[in-house]
């Protein structure tokens, strides 16, 4: 039985209601878009009582199926001013699926204090948690697991979320390590959670089983084929780069095409790459007794995560990923894995997005607040977030606030959100996604890096169609809870996804229905943003990206307005 | 012969061109709107090379006529993101009129260094002025007058403009004192000037005469009647409150209706009013040997300015005005004129808007950076702007950046610009102007305080029409260069303005032509903003003003969206 949990923070009330028909076929990001469009004034103050924060597992959550437990979290974003969904791996998504919870809708604002929401098969309860105020995510998670048991999944914010900093994310526990190493990082959703007075959500799935399956035979067959194809694939299998290296496998190719953010997006290649790339990361971790090939979600056969350890073999952070290595590495000209890992752990502990912070630090370095390449300087700046100083709050509010305050023209943002690890001048498809997606600058909304071999990354023509297709695929991933890494079998045969969905729900969908659902999702998000005040004039990158050539390709962002508009036509 | 001066900062070139027909009938704010709409991409980076900064005297500048020498300055605003015009009294406007200059258009961006633009009847010249980098406006002005002569008018930015802080304005010399006591303060135009590398403009009108008049008899008659009515009016005459008290005359009435910003807009009345109101200011100045009844523009018969002096009779600031006394007085709960005067002088010297800074300080005090009522604390915070520290840059970028950084919900802004000295909950007509005017929160765009006796300030109904009428009147003032204080004879008989314009230009205008010109101006500005990405969703105040009652009236802002939309219908 699938339900929606309504948590009214002003009243401190929790109510579990049946899913109404408008939401029935929506999951994850799609559930979020439908709910926000139906119930929230897009002009509301994102940090005020009229915004709602939604946790929604994908349609396939909770099943014995690889790589489909990603949890979507969404709200009106205090960072972009538009609709936002960020999703996260780890354990809570699957556990919510097992609890039969299709969505948690958190509304209002606690009159005082902070609270933990505890969920189990016996119901839901808000627990006053003042003793955890301003605690980091590691300590908070450890205390909660100690109290509720290691089998629980935990979602938590750090001090950044409590301070309502727009760079704050929401962390989730990983399957094997049970530390808050995963984050729904983007768009400042942690600040929304903090504004509501919610510190953590505990998902206790003891005594539950997988959700019902409509056509078990169809589902099992498809699930088996899906796992088999993932395991046998040269990319996602045990010998594949995803398993062996994780996301950082992409650093080499991005550097090769000259799109690796370097020195606050002033260059596209970094000479320190050999010290922080895929091979170096793997070698360092293995040498020191850290771990490679970890899974973040139960049942995942790809297992792309790592545990980065120090020279004594003690864990610093899990999992050290490409975006962090780009934004806090090359972008800051820091070519030392230990230094980047420490910065990453600090971000995790404060509960801030390492992409947004890397971009903010790059801007701060450009303004002279520290030297490029100075890991110690970066650490000292980042520490200010924990202190809640004016400097720390500026950085914690992200790259745009930092650039605006310090007067830095080259501030790498779109719709107020920091660009991830792909300079849009040298990978134009990503520029189109940054500019046109309702999500703002977000690689997970439609990443063109995978198409670099079939389409010249510098060529502006055709980037509209390219980005559109990628945005549709991202929509599919984000409504089903599927991990981006697990997309190849579905991309090769979309019917496999249809079999999984029809097996689970008995909807009798065709591939066309799925495509329409993807388009509907993009349309809903666009509609929300239009009502929030966005127009095609916002489908742009900062002016300097159109003007300043990026070494070594010397490319500028030259996608025409017409090409840009083609991306979102008919939406 | 009327000309437009084109100053291309990238090339360092200056060119004087005839006025083309599209601009012929436009003056001041109207010239700015027409020019920007025709030549500037509304989506441009306001601090980038593609924005232009325009100085445009009103249509009646340079004539032997009271109170018509206000100079409009405009650009795309880095504070609001929309079109902006701010106008300023003092001497440069009239002198530009005498030089026959209808507009100065500053484009591009100096490759390096900062420059002064020197204008005289012999032409125009850009002078490298590196020696004045980061100097305050007082010192800069003194040096320039020393070099070019006391007869010159000076426009200048302080360090805030050079740092491109969004609260920076452009200062102008006053007629009698020759200090930079007047400021085109709003919208961050000083930052635009700074971004171009322009430190000052010297207007040397020696050897010039008044511009040609088409029908001297008609003009003289109207000018005489205008002056006579101003002199004989109980308001603007020698016994009138405007001459005797200046703008602060309004403090009592605003406090009476409960709309005086107090303690960061959390109350509408201030118990310290008797220490900072009109009577107290006049009494203090006269006791100490300061000056009352000064004129800022040559020929002005109203003479509303003052010179506020310390206990030893030494000038602190001229002119101490209502908006500063509200935003840096009651809004900060500082009820000491000396303290406010010092804060005002600091703002003038750094070249920042005292409204924006008062609002930013209120927000900072709410966040605990200083105590309300602590003048010394406010001074220390303000000093940081001069230092260019992160804290100072945050404040100098205005209330919105400050509120965003510090996480303060009650941040009194509309379209990114700080509200002036009228809480919109207790003076609803001003709320409508703040929300719907292309100018953002700006009392000079349409101030409803004058209608308080004929229309209940708390009544939301009818505020759309009220604000619309006021916005039209403001448009008339700002295109002709007329001072707001000199409006009564024109409001009583619009034909008087027609006679002045027809006398000057021989256009054969009717009152209907003037009204159409007002509407055209509002329409052009709206059109620019629409292309910049503004929609009716932006015609709003911050959510908290709709929700939080303001003591003592306990009013919230309850103007409906429909009423709001009526303000701008047909535009």
């Amino acid at each position: 039985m699938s339900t929606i949990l309504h948590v009214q923070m002003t009243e401190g009330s929790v109510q579990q209601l049946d899913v109404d028909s408008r939401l029935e076929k929506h999951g994850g990001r799609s559930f979020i878009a439908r709910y926000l469009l139906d119930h929230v004034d897009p002009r509301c103050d994102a940090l005020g009582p009229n915004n709602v924060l939604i946790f929604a597992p994908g349609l396939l959550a909770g099943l014995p199926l690889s790589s489909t437990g990603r949890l979507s979290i969404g709200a009106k974003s205090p960072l972009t001013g538009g609709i936002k969904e960020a999703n996260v791996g780890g354990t809570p998504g699957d556990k919510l699926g097992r609890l039969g919870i299709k969505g948690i809708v958190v509304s209002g604002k606690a009159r005082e204090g902070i609270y933990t929401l505890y969920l189990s098969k016996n119901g839901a309860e808000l627990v006053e948690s003042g003793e955890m105020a301003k605690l980091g995510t590691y300590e908070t998670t450890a205390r909660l697991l100690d109290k509720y048991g290691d089998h629980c999944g935990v979602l938590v914010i750090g001090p950044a979320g409590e301070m309502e900093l727009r760079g704050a994310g929401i962390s989730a526990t990983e399957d094997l390590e049970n530390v808050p190493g995963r984050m729904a990082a983007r768009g400042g959703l942690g600040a929304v959670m903090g504004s509501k007075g919610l510190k953590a959500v505990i998902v206790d799935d003891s005594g539950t089983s997988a959700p019902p399956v409509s056509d078990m035979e169809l589902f099992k067959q498809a699930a088996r084929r899906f796992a088999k194809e993932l395991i046998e694939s040269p990319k996602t299998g045990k010998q594949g780069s995803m398993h062996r290296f994780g996301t950082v496998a992409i650093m080499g190719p991005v550097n090769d095409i000259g799109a690796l953010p370097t020195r606050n997006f002033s260059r596209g290649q970094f000479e320190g790459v050999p010290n922080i790339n895929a091979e170096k990361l793997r070698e360092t971790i293995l040498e020191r007794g850290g771990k490679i090939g970890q899974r973040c979600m139960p049942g995942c056969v790809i297992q792309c995560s790592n545990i980065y350890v120090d020279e004594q073999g003690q864990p610093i952070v899990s999992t050290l990923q490409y975006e962090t290595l780009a934004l806090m590495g090359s972008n800051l000209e820091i070519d030392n894995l230990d230094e980047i890992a420490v910065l990453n752990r600090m971000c995790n502990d404060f509960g801030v997005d390492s992409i947004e912070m890397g971009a903010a630090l790059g801007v701060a370095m450009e303004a002279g607040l520290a030297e490029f390449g100075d890991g110690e300087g970066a650490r000292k700046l980042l520490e200010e977030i924990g202190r809640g100083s004016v400097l720390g709050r500026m950085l914690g509010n992200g790259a745009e606030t930092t650039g605006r305050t310090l007067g830095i023209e080259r501030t790498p943002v779109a719709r107020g959100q920091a660009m991830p690890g792909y300079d849009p001048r040298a990978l134009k498809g990503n520029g189109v996604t940054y500019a046109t997606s309702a999500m703002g600058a977000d690689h997970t909304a439609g990443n063109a890096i995978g198409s670099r071999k079939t389409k010249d990354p510098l060529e502006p023509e055709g980037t509209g169609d390219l980005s559109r297709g990628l945005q549709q695929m991202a929509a599919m991933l984000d409504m089903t809870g599927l991990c981006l890494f697990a997309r190849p079998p579905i991309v090769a045969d979309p019917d496999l996804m249809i079999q999984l969905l029809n097996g689970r729900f008995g909807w009798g969908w065709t591939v066309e229905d799925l495509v329409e659902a993807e388009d509907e999702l993009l349309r809903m998000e666009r509609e929300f943003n239009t009502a929030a005040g966005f127009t095609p004039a916002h489908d742009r990158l900062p002016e300097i990206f159109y003007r300043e050539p990026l070494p070594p390709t010397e490319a500028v962002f030259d996608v025409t307005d017409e090409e840009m508009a083609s991306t979102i036509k008919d939406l």
Side-chain angles (χ1 to χ4, degrees), chain A:
Chain A
M1 187 62 191
S2 190
T3 61
I4 298 177
L5 195 71
H6 292 269
V7 183
Q8 220 298 332
M9 295 300 297
T10 319
E11 307 305 327
S13 67
V14 183
Q15 220 186 344
Q16 203 143 349
L17 297 174
D18 288 349
V19 176
D20 67 64
S21 61
R22 277 182 79 78
L23 287 162
E24 210 179 352
K25 293 189 180 171
H26 293 289
R29 178 172 160 194
S30 166
F31 179 96
I32 288 165
R34 182 75 270 161
Y35 192 93
L36 288 175
L37 203 50
D38 285 350
H39 299 286
V40 171
D41 183 344
R43 303 170 308 177
C44 76
D45 180 349
L47 296 174
N50 294 323
N51 197 5
V52 303
L53 178 70
I54 300 175
F55 300 85
L59 289 167
L60 296 172
L63 296 162
L65 186 64
S66 179
S67 322
T68 49
R70 291 190 73 88
L71 174 66
S72 289
I73 309 181
K76 174 172 176 174
S77 163
L79 189 70
T80 69
I83 193 169
K84 189 69 204 173
E85 181 261 7
N87 60 66
V88 61
T91 60
D94 252 317
K95 290 180 192 293
L96 282 172
R98 293 171 62 89
L99 281 169
I101 293 176
K102 200 169 167 66
I104 307 172
V105 176
V106 184
S107 61
K109 206 165 185 165
R111 293 206 176 84
E112 53 180 334
I114 56 167
Y115 294 81
T116 294
L117 176 67
Y118 173 73
L119 310 176
S120 72
K121 69 177 169 48
N122 301 318
E125 166 185 21
L126 275 172
V127 184
E128 212 284 324
S129 309
E131 77 284 359
M132 295 194 302
K134 297 288 163 71
L135 282 190
T137 64
Y138 289 97
E139 174 70 15
T140 305
T141 302
R143 288 199 196 184
L144 289 169
L145 291 176
D146 196 47
K147 179 171 174 185
Y148 294 103
D150 274 346
H151 61 287
C152 295
V154 177
L155 294 156
V156 65
I157 58 169
E162 292 182 61
M163 288 189 275
E164 301 181 22
L165 303 181
R166 287 166 174 78
I170 300 172
S171 298
T173 40
E174 295 181 306
D175 187 33
L176 295 179
E177 292 304 306
N178 245 344
V179 294
R182 294 276 160 178
M183 196 187 290
R186 315 236 55 202
L189 298 173
V192 178
M193 189 158 159
S195 76
K196 307 235 161 275
L198 187 63
K199 176 73 175 172
V201 179
I202 322 293
V203 191
D204 184 345
D205 65 341
S206 38
T208 63
S209 48
V213 168
S214 174
D215 180 340
M216 187 55 91
E217 200 41 48
L218 179 63
F219 179 79
K220 265 195 183 161
Q221 237 173 29
R224 245 182 263 125
R225 185 179 136 210
F226 181 55
K228 185 163 176 284
E229 291 189 15
L230 287 176
I231 291 168
E232 289 175 359
S233 151
K235 272 192 157 180
T236 52
K238 285 283 174 281
Q239 295 312 311
S241 62
M242 290 178 179
H243 175 70
R244 286 164 48 83
F245 298 115
T247 55
V248 70
I250 207 66
M251 181 177 279
V254 177
N255 193 53
D256 288 345
I257 64 167
L260 183 68
T262 304
R263 205 181 168 91
N264 187 33
F265 284 75
S266 68
R267 298 182 204 148
Q269 280 181 348
F270 179 46
E271 55 191 22
V273 159
N275 296 326
I276 60 171
N277 64 6
E279 295 73 18
K280 181 70 176 185
L281 181 68
R282 181 178 166 88
E283 176 192 307
T284 307
I285 289 176
L286 291 179
E287 257 178 33
R288 294 176 173 180
K291 285 183 185 163
I292 289 284
Q294 295 281 103
R295 65 170 191 252
C296 77
M297 301 192 285
C300 175
V301 298
I302 305 176
Q303 306 173 345
C304 73
S305 292
N306 60 58
I307 302 178
Y308 188 85
V309 295
D310 64 17
E311 286 182 345
Q312 285 71 47
Q314 292 305 305
I316 300 179
V317 72
S318 70
T319 176
L320 189 52
Q321 294 207 50
Y322 169 67
E323 301 298 332
T324 306
L325 289 162
L327 272 295
M328 306 197 110
S330 55
N331 188 49
L332 308 182
E333 290 190 332
I334 295 175
D335 65 350
N336 180 307
L337 287 173
D338 288 345
E339 288 179 350
I340 300 168
V342 166
L343 296 174
N344 193 357
R345 187 188 172 92
M346 289 172 73
C347 286
N348 286 0
D349 200 34
F350 297 149
V352 278
D353 177 8
S354 60
I355 295 177
E356 195 67 47
M357 291 311 102
L361 287 173
V363 168
M365 284 177 168
E366 175 113 16
L369 267 54
E371 295 295 315
F372 283 103
D374 178 7
E376 173 73 8
R379 196 176 57 67
K380 282 188 179 157
L381 286 174
L382 216 47
E383 274 170 2
E384 294 295 324
I385 297 176
R387 293 212 179 86
S389 68
V390 168
L391 170 57
R393 284 174 177 273
M394 174 189 77
L395 294 168
N397 272 299
E400 177 159 280
T401 296
T402 300
R404 196 176 165 88
T405 303
L406 302 178
I408 298 302
E409 190 176 5
R410 197 190 319 97
T411 294
V413 298
R415 294 171 187 262
Q417 184 171 265
M419 293 178 187
Y422 317 83
D423 194 301
R425 288 165 289 190
L427 182 57
K428 301 225 159 86
N430 276 26
V432 176
T433 298
Y434 297 168
T436 63
S437 162
M439 296 292 120
D442 193 338
H443 60 295
T444 68
N447 194 344
I449 188 65
S451 66
R452 68 191 176 281
K453 288 172 189 161
T454 52
K455 167 148 187 31
D456 179 359
L458 296 174
E459 171 63 46
E461 244 174 274
T463 47
D465 284 347
L466 174 65
S467 174
R468 169 67 170 256
L470 292 164
Q471 292 190 45
Q472 289 170 314
M473 188 190 63
M476 181 271 290
L477 299 173
D478 299 344
M479 69 175 79
T480 56
L482 191 64
C483 173
L484 182 75
F485 267 19
R487 75 188 180 284
I490 307 291
V491 171
D493 178 12
D495 207 47
L496 181 51
M497 176 53 77
I498 297 304
Q499 289 160 20
L500 289 170
L501 290 173
N502 287 342
R504 164 76 170 91
F505 297 105
W507 289 340
W509 267 19
T510 63
V511 171
E512 287 66 37
D513 292 319
L514 180 61
V515 172
E516 170 49 28
E518 294 163 6
D519 281 349
E520 188 193 0
L521 169 49
L522 298 176
R523 211 155 43 224
M524 289 189 292
E525 291 177 339
R526 192 90 189 163
E527 189 181 336
F528 186 94
N529 278 7
T530 298
F534 285 90
T535 76
H538 300 100
D539 294 340
R540 305 264 300 170
L541 300 181
E543 188 184 297
I544 191 168
F545 285 85
Y546 293 83
R547 197 171 1 100
E548 188 188 56
L550 178 74
T553 59
E554 302 300 333
V556 298
F557 191 71
D558 53 3
V559 178
T560 62
D561 289 349
E562 293 67 37
E563 185 77 45
M564 211 79 110
S566 76
T567 316
I568 46 133
K569 71 167 183 286
D570 318 324
L571 278 187

